[in-house]
Amino acid sequence: MKEFDHWDEQEHADLTEDEKQILDDLGLQGSTRRKFLKQVSAASLSLWAASTFSSTLLAHPMKETPTKPAFLQNEVAVSFSVNGETHQLNLDSRTSLLDALREHLGLTGSKKGCDHGQCGACTVMINGKRKLSCLTLAATCESHEVTTIEGLAKNGNMHPMQQAFLKHDGFQCGYCTPGQICSSVALLKEAEEGEASYVTEDFRKISSNLELSEEEIRERMSGNICRCGAYNNIVQAFREVHSGKEEMPSWEFATEEQMKKAKNA
Ligand code: FES
Ligand code: FES
């Protein structure tokens, strides 16, 4: 009891301003406040204060964040087309295309994996060429045509590359998939136009309508990382669309004989 009396006397001296504010906000005054303080230790009240205040502080800006900020630093007006629709945006000049798509236009298909140009999850097409939208300033896209994963399907029909990814199971969690598909679609055009890659052996022999080998495909898609490791299936999906021929897995299920051998080994 002595300890509680001590609390009575020391209440205001011992409590921090934050803790006092919490008790005020809870409407705990006089005897109710003293009773409450007798039931909690100083330590738990401090912890509670810390979590309550920090969550209030952290949550507050989220609730209040305007969809259109009232004030922009380094404001620039930019107009570009996304999936065939022209958008006029006023943005901070430092806004990346990825943030403009996700935060300003609500197109969240392009993913922010690393935001440093290392994973390829944010790949989109600008004027038909694949680009990392996290490394592209939106302000540089004036009058350009941007295509994101949301713009590939036409009239409710998936793009052949999307269908092939589904058919060949070219994904697991799906996080890298929008970037993989955009990259693959742009790669089809690169092959048509005869663009060289790091593994192209003879630049003099390069022609349009290239038939890409597996090595070429893997090299050219190497900027798109898949943490789930769906690479074999992605290559298979790409090859089917690229060649127009049905692709079969290059691996086979083990025979019963092989299974038995493996068990006894
Ligand atoms: S988010 Fe752009 S490369 Fe990773
Ligand atoms: S499917 Fe999961 S990261 Fe590629």
Side-chain angles (χ1 to χ4, degrees):
M1 268 314 276
K2 266 196 168 171
E3 196 182 331
F4 292 160
D5 291 343
H6 175 70
W7 261 105
D8 280 1
E9 289 158 21
Q10 292 292 316
E11 179 197 345
H12 279 274
D14 289 351
L15 296 181
T16 66
E17 287 308 309
D18 285 352
E19 289 163 351
K20 284 179 196 166
Q21 181 67 49
I22 282 192
L23 295 172
D24 288 345
D25 288 350
L26 290 171
L28 297 172
Q29 301 293 346
S31 60
T32 327
R33 187 169 181 137
R34 281 195 291 280
K35 200 172 163 196
F36 177 80
L37 285 171
K38 283 172 190 172
Q39 286 168 356
V40 297
S41 69
S44 62
L45 184 60
S46 300
L47 281 178
W48 194 37
S51 64
T52 304
F53 271 81
S54 57
S55 63
T56 307
L57 286 171
L58 290 174
H60 188 67
M62 291 301 288
K63 273 191 211 153
E64 300 295 315
T65 299
T67 43
K68 281 189 183 170
F71 173 72
L72 282 172
Q73 281 190 318
N74 313 306
E75 186 172 342
V76 286
V78 60
S79 164
F80 53 86
S81 142
V82 182
N83 302 329
E85 198 181 322
T86 303
H87 294 275
Q88 293 190 322
L89 299 171
N90 286 346
L91 302 168
D92 183 314
S93 61
R94 297 163 294 184
T95 308
S96 68
L97 175 60
L98 179 60
D99 284 342
L101 293 169
R102 292 179 57 87
E103 311 296 332
H104 294 262
L105 299 177
L107 294 170
T108 53
S110 311
K111 299 291 181 261
K112 187 181 276 193
C114 63
D115 211 19
H116 281 77
Q118 292 169 348
C119 71
C122 65
T123 308
V124 298
M125 285 174 277
I126 302 178
N127 301 333
K129 297 277 182 202
R130 47 192 170 150
K131 298 278 178 207
L132 298 174
S133 59
C134 72
L135 293 189
T136 305
L137 288 174
T140 64
C141 295
E142 179 66 35
S143 306
H144 289 341
E145 283 181 20
V146 179
T147 308
T148 67
I149 189 72
E150 290 93 342
L152 290 182
K154 295 281 175 261
N155 306 319
N157 296 317
M158 284 186 289
H159 187 283
M161 194 63 79
Q162 290 173 303
Q163 292 176 19
F165 266 65
L166 273 179
K167 178 179 166 190
H168 291 280
D169 236 356
F171 54 88
Q172 282 184 38
C173 75
Y175 194 81
C176 71
T177 314
Q180 301 276 7
I181 293 179
C182 284
S183 213
S184 304
V185 170
L187 179 51
L188 289 174
K189 195 157 169 260
E190 286 167 28
E192 264 173 42
E193 293 174 357
E195 288 187 24
S197 83
Y198 183 70
V199 292
T200 305
E201 276 181 17
D202 191 342
F203 290 97
R204 289 164 305 179
K205 285 192 191 152
I206 201 155
S207 60
S208 55
N209 292 322
L210 289 175
E211 209 170 294
L212 299 179
S213 63
E214 180 159 342
E215 189 192 15
E216 281 272 15
I217 298 166
R218 287 182 184 272
E219 162 57 27
R220 290 169 190 251
M221 291 292 291
S222 62
N224 289 85
I225 309 295
C226 175
R227 291 190 66 178
C228 298
Y231 297 113
N232 287 342
N233 306 43
I234 292 170
V235 170
Q236 210 172 289
F238 179 85
R239 284 176 75 117
E240 183 159 306
V241 182
H242 178 50
S243 67
K245 293 180 206 142
E246 194 164 6
E247 277 290 323
M248 293 303 286
S250 51
W251 50 269
E252 286 175 352
F253 288 110
T255 60
E256 247 175 72
E257 191 78 3
Q258 286 167 327
M259 296 276 275
K260 270 185 202 163
K261 260 192 186 173
K263 265 187 197 167
N264 297 331

